[in-house]
Amino acid sequence: MAFSFDLLFFSVCSVVFPLALLKWFYAASKPQKKLPPSPPKLPIIGNIHQLGLLPHRSLQSLSRKYGPLMLLHFGSKPVLVASSADAASQIMKTHDLVFSNRPKSSVKDRLFYGSKDVVFTPYGDYWRQAKSICVLHLLSNKRVQSYQHVREEETSLMIQKISQMCSSSPVNLTEIFVTLTNDIICRVALGRKYSEEEKGRKIMENLRVFVELMGVFDVGDYIPWLSWVNRFNGLDLKVEKFVKLIDEFLEGVIEEHINKRKGEAESDHSVEARCLDFVDILIEVNKERTIGFAFGRDDMKAIILVN
């Protein structure tokens, strides 16, 4: 039995050792790239353990030691950290094409209909077209100014609400400002606010979940062979449930706008006579088909979510 074990051990070593040696020689023969300073990393997790509970402060502390441009490793993913205005300018302006692509994220991919938004979609023709829609149609200076009355109306309502509440009890300003922000965004993007309805409050709660999921730590993004963990910690189920809820909501909003536009056409009321929200504008873009690529429902939903 001992002989058999020794023979097996020798056989394994005779295969593994030459392969390891070949890999070392191959790595040594390649020209070494000049990389930014980097703190020591651990196997498998890299520098993740150095982030702590307050990543922004941990990164600031590391940058003081390793400089304004440093290389970290989050699992198997190299991450370049710029912590000065000059370094950020080099990345965003001088070498923008080199850094223009987006890291792949399984959670964001599911949240944004296969990354069909303008933030997480890979750099390429679709990204350029989606960016063009946002810059020229949704967020142009003229369009932003057209929503000034929405901002003024909602701010005025907020001040009235605070005045009424101050006379009776302490006021939770955090909750009020969150509601103000959501009401303005909903009126601009979706055409009406939802905070005053029971159904709308559930929608606002779903949007809070959406924000949480945007910042969730997905171990599979950094250590791919551990992606199965999400099936056991509940993340996959949570994302699946949320995507279904938000998709049903957005589908209803789009159908509501389409029916409203049909009613206006039948009654000879021009759509342009009222202030268009984002959904109206995206329906127009979809209808005109002049942007150079197929722009469908999922594309509309993804861009609505990211804006």
Side-chain angles (χ1 to χ4, degrees), residues 115-117 121 124-131 293 299 303:
S115 297
K116 292 184 177 180
D117 61 302
T121 191
D125 290 340
Y126 180 85
W127 177 82
R128 285 190 287 269
Q129 296 291 355
K131 178 189 174 184
F293 72 102
D299 305 272
I303 290 178

Side-chain angles (χ1 to χ4, degrees), residues 108-162:
K108 275 80 170 182
D109 195 57
R110 285 179 284 173
L111 289 177
F112 292 103
Y113 299 87
S115 297
K116 292 184 177 180
D117 61 302
V118 73
V119 176
F120 298 105
T121 191
Y123 179 75
D125 290 340
Y126 180 85
W127 177 82
R128 285 190 287 269
Q129 296 291 355
K131 178 189 174 184
S132 175
I133 290 173
C134 292
V135 172
L136 299 178
H137 296 277
L138 300 182
L139 301 174
S140 66
N141 184 59
K142 181 179 179 181
R143 186 70 65 186
V144 171
Q145 293 303 320
S146 72
Y147 297 123
Q148 180 177 347
H149 71 284
V150 174
R151 298 189 291 271
E152 291 175 349
E153 287 175 12
E154 293 302 326
T155 302
S156 178
L157 289 172
M158 180 198 68
I159 294 172
Q160 292 177 20
K161 185 176 181 180
I162 293 174

